[in-house]
Amino acid sequence: MKTVAYHNLGCKVNAYEMDVMLQALREQGYQIVPFEQKADIYLVNTCTVTNIADRKSRQMLHRAKKTNPDGLVIAIGCYVQADTCAVAADSAVDLLIGNNRKKDLVNILENYLSGVEQESVIDINHTQEYEEMRLTATQEHTRAYIKIQDGCNQFCTYCMIPYARGRVRSRRKSDVIEEICGLVKAGYQEFVLTGIHISSYGIDCTKKQGESLIELLKEIDEIEGVKRIRIGSLEPRIITKEFVNSLTQLQHLCPHFHLSLQSGCETVLKRMNRHYTPEEYLESVTLLRNAFLHPAITTDVIVGFPGETQAEFDCTRQFVETIQFYEMHLFKYSKRKGTKAAVMPNQVSEEIKVHRSASLQAIDEIASKAFRTYYLGKMVEVLFEEKRRIGEQDYWIGHTKEYVKVAVAAQQIGTIAPEGLQNRLILGKIKDFLNHDILLMDL
C-alpha cells in the first residue's frame, strides 16, 4: 500500500477538488498520511491567484522533495496550468497535472508508475468540457462544499484565473442534485455552492436545458434533508429585484451574501475591468437588506491598485463606511506577471498599501462588532461543528445562518446531548461576547 501526503493551496474550489482526488486514491487502496510525514507520493494542489501563491506552491513542492528525495512529487492545478514550462523545469517536480485532468489523477499516476506517459496538461482556454467530479464525503464533518461551475469570462486586469481555469463551464443540474442527495444520506445538512464564478452558472447552456443559478437553488431547496444552502461569492450585477425575490422564496437559503467589491471608486473599478459602479453595488446591497432581516453582507477589497490616488482611496473608505459590511477580506495589491495591471503605470508603494489596508481594517472591526452586537439577547439557530478549548474551558463552536460564529460551554450541555453537539442544529439565546469574534450562547 503506497502512502500519499497532500497539501492544498487556494480557494474552496481547490479544496473540493482535493477532497475528490483523495477519495479516488483511497478507493484504489492508497493510504493518506500527513504532509509532514515521509511518504511515497506527495500531492500539491497549487494556486496562482497572486505571485505569492505561486511562491507558496513552489515552497510546498520543494518541501515535499526535501522530506523524501526518493518520493514522487506531483504538482497539480492552477500554477501548473498558468506556467507549465516553469513547473516542468523545477527539479523538485516529477509529474504535472493541469486543471480539467484532476478527475484522471489515479489513472495518470498509475500509468506514470508503470512507465506509460500520457497528456496531463491540456489547453484549458479551448475546452468546453466541465470536469465532472463527485464527492461522497468531505474533509469537513458538517458542511459540504459543492462545485457547480468552472472557469471565468470576466478578465479583470489584475487576475490570472481565466488563463488558469479557462472559460465558463457549468455542471449539469442533475449531477449537482445527485451529489447533494448522496451527501444528505451521509448526514450533511449544510451545502455551500462554490465555483470560480458562480454568477455565470448556466450562461454556457441553452434555455431549453433550464440551467440557471436560481433554478438550481430551487431544486436544491426541495431536497429532503437539506437544512441550509449557502451561496459562494456573487457578482453585484446578478442582484436584481427579480433575482432577490426568487431568493426570498427559498426556505433553506442562508441570508449570507458575499458580493465582491474590490474598490468603492468608479475610476479604479474601470481600470480593474469590473463591470459595475459603486452606485449599482449599493443598489444591490439595498435590495438584499430590504428583502432579508439583518443579512450578512461580506466582500473583498483591494487596496493600492495601480494608479490609486489618495482621493480614489478616500472614495473607497467612505463607501465601505456607508455600506457597513459584516466582514471585509482586505488585500494589498500584488503584481501578477502576465496580467494587464502588472504593467500599468503609477504602481503604489508598499508603505502606502499597508497604511490604507490598516485604515480599512479599523472600519471593518467596528462594523463587524456592530453586526454581531445585534444578536445579543436574541434567539438564534446554530449548526455546531467542533469542540474546542478556549482559555481554560471547552466549548462547542458553530455558525448561525448568517455565518456568525457562536460558542456554548461544553459543561452546560450535560444530559442534553451527552454525545456532543457536532452536526446538530440547536436553538439558543445569545447572552454575550466570548471574545471579539465569537458570541456566547445560553441553552
Side-chain angles (χ1 to χ4, degrees), residues 18-257:
M18 178 60 87
D19 280 350
V20 176
M21 290 186 285
L22 294 176
Q23 176 180 284
L25 288 165
R26 288 190 186 96
E27 289 171 353
Q28 292 301 311
Y30 291 86
Q31 181 185 354
I32 309 302
V33 299
F35 191 74
E36 298 74 22
Q37 185 173 321
K38 188 174 182 179
D40 300 310
I41 300 163
Y42 292 87
L43 202 61
V44 179
N45 199 17
T46 63
C47 178
T48 194
V49 70
T50 64
N51 285 334
I52 295 171
D54 281 358
R55 185 169 72 243
K56 286 182 179 178
S57 296
R58 289 191 295 270
Q59 287 172 346
M60 300 314 296
L61 292 164
H62 284 255
R63 185 178 300 178
K65 184 59 78 173
K66 184 177 180 181
T67 304
N68 183 9
D70 297 322
L72 174 67
V73 177
I74 307 175
I76 299 184
C78 292
Y79 175 44
V80 174
Q81 196 71 54
D83 204 349
T84 306
C85 292
V87 183
D90 192 327
S91 60
V93 179
D94 300 299
L95 177 61
L96 284 68
I97 299 177
N99 287 324
N100 255 52
R101 297 306 311 273
K102 293 179 179 180
K103 68 181 186 302
D104 304 314
L105 166 65
V106 173
N107 181 259
I108 293 171
L109 170 59
E110 297 193 341
N111 278 337
Y112 179 87
L113 293 173
S114 301
V116 178
E117 292 189 16
Q118 65 186 99
E119 182 185 38
S120 58
V121 181
I122 67 168
D123 180 359
I124 199 73
N125 292 295
H126 290 90
T127 185
Q128 295 181 331
E129 175 204 7
Y130 175 82
E131 183 180 26
E132 177 58 28
M133 307 172 85
R134 186 167 300 180
L135 274 176
T136 57
T138 79
Q139 297 299 307
E140 295 200 36
H141 300 293
T142 58
R143 183 182 300 111
Y145 288 87
I146 306 296
K147 182 183 170 187
I148 65 169
Q149 68 83 227
D150 209 335
C152 181
N153 298 349
Q154 300 303 299
F155 291 95
C156 299
T157 56
Y158 52 81
C159 188
M160 275 294 291
I161 296 307
Y163 305 101
R165 285 283 179 171
R167 303 297 78 73
V168 169
R169 305 178 303 285
S170 301
R171 188 179 185 186
R172 285 194 300 270
K173 185 167 57 177
S174 58
D175 290 333
V176 176
I177 299 301
E178 189 174 338
E179 180 177 45
I180 292 177
C181 286
L183 288 166
V184 166
K185 290 179 181 177
Y188 294 89
Q189 301 186 81
E190 181 175 316
F191 297 89
V192 185
L193 303 192
T194 188
I196 300 302
H197 194 262
I198 65 172
S199 295
S200 295
Y201 178 81
I203 66 166
D204 54 324
C205 305
T206 65
K207 288 185 178 180
K208 289 182 180 179
Q209 292 173 298
E211 309 279 334
S212 72
L213 182 58
I214 200 65
E215 290 302 319
L216 176 63
L217 287 166
K218 286 177 181 177
E219 290 204 23
I220 296 171
D221 193 55
E222 293 170 359
I223 297 174
E224 186 176 354
V226 169
K227 299 296 176 62
R228 288 184 176 182
I229 305 167
R230 203 176 293 278
I231 312 175
S233 181
L234 294 173
E235 282 289 317
R237 290 174 296 164
I238 200 175
I239 308 298
T240 62
K241 287 182 181 179
E242 181 183 12
F243 184 80
V244 171
N245 185 56
S246 296
L247 292 182
T248 62
Q249 307 306 308
L250 302 175
Q251 183 181 352
H252 302 106
L253 180 73
C254 292
H256 171 207
F257 305 99

Side-chain angles (χ1 to χ4, degrees), residues 163-387:
Y163 305 101
R165 285 283 179 171
R167 303 297 78 73
V168 169
R169 305 178 303 285
S170 301
R171 188 179 185 186
R172 285 194 300 270
K173 185 167 57 177
S174 58
D175 290 333
V176 176
I177 299 301
E178 189 174 338
E179 180 177 45
I180 292 177
C181 286
L183 288 166
V184 166
K185 290 179 181 177
Y188 294 89
Q189 301 186 81
E190 181 175 316
F191 297 89
V192 185
L193 303 192
T194 188
I196 300 302
H197 194 262
I198 65 172
S199 295
S200 295
Y201 178 81
I203 66 166
D204 54 324
C205 305
T206 65
K207 288 185 178 180
K208 289 182 180 179
Q209 292 173 298
E211 309 279 334
S212 72
L213 182 58
I214 200 65
E215 290 302 319
L216 176 63
L217 287 166
K218 286 177 181 177
E219 290 204 23
I220 296 171
D221 193 55
E222 293 170 359
I223 297 174
E224 186 176 354
V226 169
K227 299 296 176 62
R228 288 184 176 182
I229 305 167
R230 203 176 293 278
I231 312 175
S233 181
L234 294 173
E235 282 289 317
R237 290 174 296 164
I238 200 175
I239 308 298
T240 62
K241 287 182 181 179
E242 181 183 12
F243 184 80
V244 171
N245 185 56
S246 296
L247 292 182
T248 62
Q249 307 306 308
L250 302 175
Q251 183 181 352
H252 302 106
L253 180 73
C254 292
H256 171 207
F257 305 99
H258 187 88
L259 301 185
S260 185
L261 174 63
Q262 307 305 359
S263 175
C265 177
E266 185 170 359
T267 51
V268 176
L269 289 172
K270 285 182 179 178
R271 293 203 297 276
M272 290 177 167
N273 197 35
R274 303 289 292 176
H275 304 288
Y276 52 85
T277 65
E279 290 74 20
E280 290 167 336
Y281 188 100
L282 178 58
E283 184 179 347
S284 296
V285 172
T286 302
L287 285 170
L288 290 169
R289 285 179 169 161
N290 287 341
F292 295 92
L293 176 65
H294 200 62
I297 311 292
T298 60
T299 198
D300 305 310
V301 179
I302 297 173
V303 298
F305 189 75
E308 184 184 63
T309 64
Q310 184 60 45
E312 287 176 325
F313 172 72
D314 288 342
C315 285
T316 294
R317 180 175 51 77
Q318 291 163 13
F319 188 76
V320 300
E321 283 183 325
T322 297
I323 297 289
Q324 292 290 292
F325 292 102
Y326 164 40
E327 285 182 342
M328 292 191 290
H329 300 155
L330 302 173
F331 302 91
K332 297 188 291 293
Y333 171 75
S334 174
K335 278 188 182 181
R336 183 62 183 85
K337 183 181 176 182
T339 63
K340 290 182 178 180
V343 295
M344 284 181 176
N346 303 315
Q347 297 284 329
V348 178
S349 72
E350 191 64 24
E351 181 182 2
I352 291 175
K353 291 176 193 175
V354 169
H355 177 74
R356 290 177 181 174
S357 179
S359 176
L360 295 190
Q361 184 66 47
I363 295 170
D364 180 53
E365 289 173 3
I366 294 170
S368 293
K369 183 176 181 179
F371 186 88
R372 293 181 176 93
T373 299
Y374 166 87
Y375 293 100
L376 296 179
K378 290 184 170 60
M379 298 294 292
V380 298
E381 182 188 67
V382 178
L383 178 59
F384 284 96
E385 298 149 26
E386 62 175 346
K387 192 177 182 181

